[in-house]
């Protein structure tokens, strides 16, 4: 009996190993890149759960529990909630196109690009899996047990965007470029330090911006405006039973919500900086060592863009180590 009891008692070495493991996990979580990865993961997950859930209500709710306006509100205020979740750590980009623009315009180190995008993609994928699990019974009931991409009982559109019948592939491409460009241009204006009336309200106004885009420009292509919003859930539907048609539908539409938003966000950012940002003095921050580069930005952007509060989920973020506040705390 004593032998059995002694076997159940943790040894001193096992307690030390457990303590060492916990210490290592805490140390890893304190690393800047890890924390930013987790912030992007969680903020994107929150945004997508609210957004995809609102689409599920519209598609599966027999017009009783959802509407197109409800979808816009779900995604818009899902974005706002995402800012609260991860904004103070990573900036809560939640959008690979915005992360690309941040790097291309010198607001963030390129080595952070894969970290941010991986977090966004995993968060979006897990959100799709969550919505699938929550609404599985309704999906099977609505579709009659057959998971289809097109047709009156199609359910793939709950998770990703698909072109309507009156749109062509290239018209949809132009639409995504233009809409994402409008998004980025307005985001630069919202987060511009020279707009003092908006300080402290950016997260809410950004959510309203997404709602506005949806109700005014969302009909043609579904306003994906975000590779992280469209591609991971589409891949989830591929492995969950919808099959290869999720990539083949709409003349292989799947690549457009990946490429077009990146191009649109970059062009929208440049247009704002050229026509509006030139009104503020230009400043170049030169850094001499790689360690400093981790905590500062090398940029030739206007001073207005150096605001560390520019951390909306859809707009570039400053990486200054001091006063790294959220858009909610300018």
């Amino acid at each position: 009996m004593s032998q059995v009891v002694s076997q159940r008692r943790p040894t001193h070495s096992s307690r030390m190993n457990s303590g060492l493991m916990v210490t290592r996990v805490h140390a890893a979580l304190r690393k800047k890149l890890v924390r930013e990865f987790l912030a992007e993961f969680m903020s994107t997950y929150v945004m997508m759960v609210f957004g995809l859930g609102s689409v599920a209500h519209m598609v599966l709710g027999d017009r009783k529990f959802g509407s197109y306006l409800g979808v816009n509100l779900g995604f818009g205020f899902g974005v706002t909630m995402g800012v609260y979740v991860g904004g103070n750590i990573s900036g809560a980009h939640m959008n690979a196109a915005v992360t690309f623009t941040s790097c291309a315009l010198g607001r963030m180190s390129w080595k952070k690009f894969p970290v941010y995008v991986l977090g966004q993609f995993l968060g979006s994928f897990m959100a799709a899996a969550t919505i699938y699990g929550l609404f599985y019974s309704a999906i099977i009931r609505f579709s009659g047990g057959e998971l289809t991409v097109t047709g009156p009982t199609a359910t793939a559109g709950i998770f990703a965007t698909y072109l309507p019948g009156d749109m062509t592939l290239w018209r949809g491409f132009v639409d995504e470029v233009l809409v994402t460009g409008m998004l980025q241009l307005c985001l630069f204006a919202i987060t511009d330090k020279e707009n003092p009336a908006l300080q402290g309200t950016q997260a809410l106004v950004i959510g309203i911006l997404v709602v506005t885009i949806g109700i005014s420009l969302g009909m043609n292509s579904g306003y994906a405006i975000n590779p992280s919003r469209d591609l991971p859930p589409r891949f989830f539907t591929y492995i969950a039973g919808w099959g290869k048609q999720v990539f083949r539908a709409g003349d292989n539409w799947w690549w457009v919500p990946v490429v077009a938003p990146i191009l649109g966000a970059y062009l929208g950012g440049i247009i704002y900086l050229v026509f509006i940002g030139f009104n503020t003095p230009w400043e170049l921050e030169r850094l001499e060592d790689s360690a400093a580069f981790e905590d500062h930005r090398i940029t030739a952007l206007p001073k207005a863009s150096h605001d560390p509060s520019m951390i909306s989920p859809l707009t570039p973020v400053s990486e200054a180590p001091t006063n790294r506040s959220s858009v909610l705390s300018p």
Side-chain angles (χ1 to χ4, degrees), residues 1-9:
M1 182 67 180
S2 61
Q3 292 178 349
V4 175
V5 174
S6 63
Q7 290 175 357
R8 292 179 178 176
R9 291 175 179 172

Side-chain angles (χ1 to χ4, degrees), residues 64-86:
K64 297 178 182 178
F65 301 101
S67 64
Y68 182 67
L69 176 59
V71 172
N72 297 318
L73 292 172
F75 270 108
F77 292 109
V79 166
T80 297
M81 295 301 106
V83 176
Y84 282 97
V85 171

Side-chain angles (χ1 to χ4, degrees), residues 223-268:
Y223 77 112
I225 57 175
N226 181 357
S228 305
R229 174 264 179 271
D230 200 82
L231 185 59
R234 191 183 301 273
F235 183 72
F236 173 81
T237 56
Y238 167 72
I239 65 177
W242 280 265
K244 296 180 181 179
Q245 191 62 20
V246 300
F247 293 105
R248 294 174 177 172
D251 294 328
N252 300 309
W253 162 258
W254 71 269
W255 64 271
V256 175
V258 177
V259 177
I262 292 176
L263 177 61
Y266 183 67
L267 293 176

Side-chain angles (χ1 to χ4, degrees), residues 80-264:
T80 297
M81 295 301 106
V83 176
Y84 282 97
V85 171
N88 198 43
I89 298 174
S90 69
H93 289 191
M94 299 188 290
N95 188 333
V98 168
T99 302
F100 174 87
T101 303
S102 299
C103 297
L105 295 180
R107 298 184 169 205
M108 191 171 76
S109 168
W110 276 106
K111 77 176 185 177
K112 290 191 176 186
F113 179 79
V115 176
Y116 274 56
V117 173
L118 179 61
Q120 294 161 11
F121 275 35
L122 288 178
S124 185
F125 183 91
M126 290 304 299
T130 300
I131 294 301
Y132 177 76
L134 290 175
F135 292 91
Y136 176 79
S137 298
I139 290 173
I140 296 302
R141 174 187 55 78
F142 179 82
S143 64
E146 184 179 359
L147 303 179
T148 58
V149 177
T150 59
T153 59
T155 49
I158 295 172
F159 301 92
T161 62
Y162 293 89
L163 277 180
D166 60 338
M167 287 290 291
T168 64
L169 182 72
W170 291 107
R171 286 178 63 196
F173 183 92
V174 172
D175 186 81
E176 282 292 314
V177 170
L178 176 62
V179 174
T180 313
M182 291 288 291
L183 170 74
Q184 186 68 77
L185 187 150
C186 292
L187 288 169
F188 269 22
I190 292 170
T191 56
D192 196 329
K193 194 68 173 180
E194 299 301 313
N195 284 334
L198 293 175
Q199 300 308 309
T201 66
Q202 292 95 329
L204 179 60
V205 176
I206 290 168
I208 294 173
L209 170 63
V210 175
V211 174
T212 303
I213 289 174
I215 62 178
S216 61
L217 300 171
M219 181 181 73
N220 288 331
S221 63
Y223 77 112
I225 57 175
N226 181 357
S228 305
R229 174 264 179 271
D230 200 82
L231 185 59
R234 191 183 301 273
F235 183 72
F236 173 81
T237 56
Y238 167 72
I239 65 177
W242 280 265
K244 296 180 181 179
Q245 191 62 20
V246 300
F247 293 105
R248 294 174 177 172
D251 294 328
N252 300 309
W253 162 258
W254 71 269
W255 64 271
V256 175
V258 177
V259 177
I262 292 176
L263 177 61

